[in-house]
Amino acid sequence: QVQLVESGGGLVQAGGSLRLSCAASGRTFSTYAMGWFRQAPGKEREFVAAISRSGANTHYADSVKGRFTISRDNAKNTVYLQMNSLKPEDTAVYYCAASIASFNFVYITPERYDYWGQGTQVTVSS
C-alpha cells in the first residue's frame, strides 16, 4: 500500500505558475504509474497528466498541453506537476494518484488508479 500527500497548491493570478508535489510513502514508488487529476466545484473529476513508472512516457489532457509538465523523482518518491500560464479555468482541487502498473504504461482514467491523495486546492484569479 502507498500513501500520497500533495502540496504546493494556493492562490495565484492568471498567467502565473505553481508547482505541485506529491510525496509517496513506501519503498516501491518506482513500480507505480502516477497521475494528476482535478475536480472543480460541480464538475466531475478529470484527467490532467500521467507519467509511467520510469518517467519515460507522459500524457496530458488537451486543456493543459504545453502549459503543464509532469515529472517524477523515484529516488525521492515524489511526482511533480509544474503548472505555467495558469488560467481561471484551472481552478480546482488537484489530486495525485498511483496505479500498480505493468511495463511503462500511462493511464488516463481514474478507475485505473489504486491510491489517491487528499488533494490540494489551486485557485487562479482573473
Side-chain angles (χ1 to χ4, degrees):
Q1 191 167 352
V2 63
Q3 292 184 324
L4 305 172
V5 179
E6 301 99 332
S7 61
L11 173 64
V12 63
Q13 288 188 334
S17 298
L18 283 174
R19 188 196 197 200
L20 305 184
S21 299
C22 174
S25 64
R27 296 176 292 177
T28 58
F29 180 70
S30 61
T31 65
Y32 293 94
M34 301 297 295
W36 286 97
F37 291 78
R38 67 187 182 186
Q39 188 166 18
K43 295 187 177 181
E44 292 187 354
R45 189 168 298 190
E46 66 172 354
F47 169 76
V48 175
I51 190 166
S52 61
R53 298 188 309 185
S54 70
N57 300 319
T58 59
H59 189 75
Y60 298 92
D62 288 343
S63 59
V64 306
K65 199 172 295 183
R67 300 188 297 123
F68 290 11
T69 302
I70 188 171
S71 61
R72 67 188 295 161
D73 185 338
N74 286 345
K76 295 182 178 180
N77 283 12
T78 302
V79 62
Y80 305 97
L81 185 68
Q82 178 66 45
M83 305 186 295
N84 298 328
S85 303
L86 282 161
K87 305 175 181 180
E89 51 263 43
D90 294 319
T91 295
V93 177
Y94 283 70
Y95 299 90
C96 74
S99 173
I100 301 170
S102 299
F103 305 104
N104 257 333
F105 294 159
V106 293
Y107 305 105
I108 66 172
T109 58
E111 294 78 13
R112 190 56 184 86
Y113 286 84
D114 304 289
Y115 304 102
W116 293 83
Q118 82 289 349
T120 186
Q121 176 71 46
V122 172
T123 303
V124 184
S125 63
S126 57

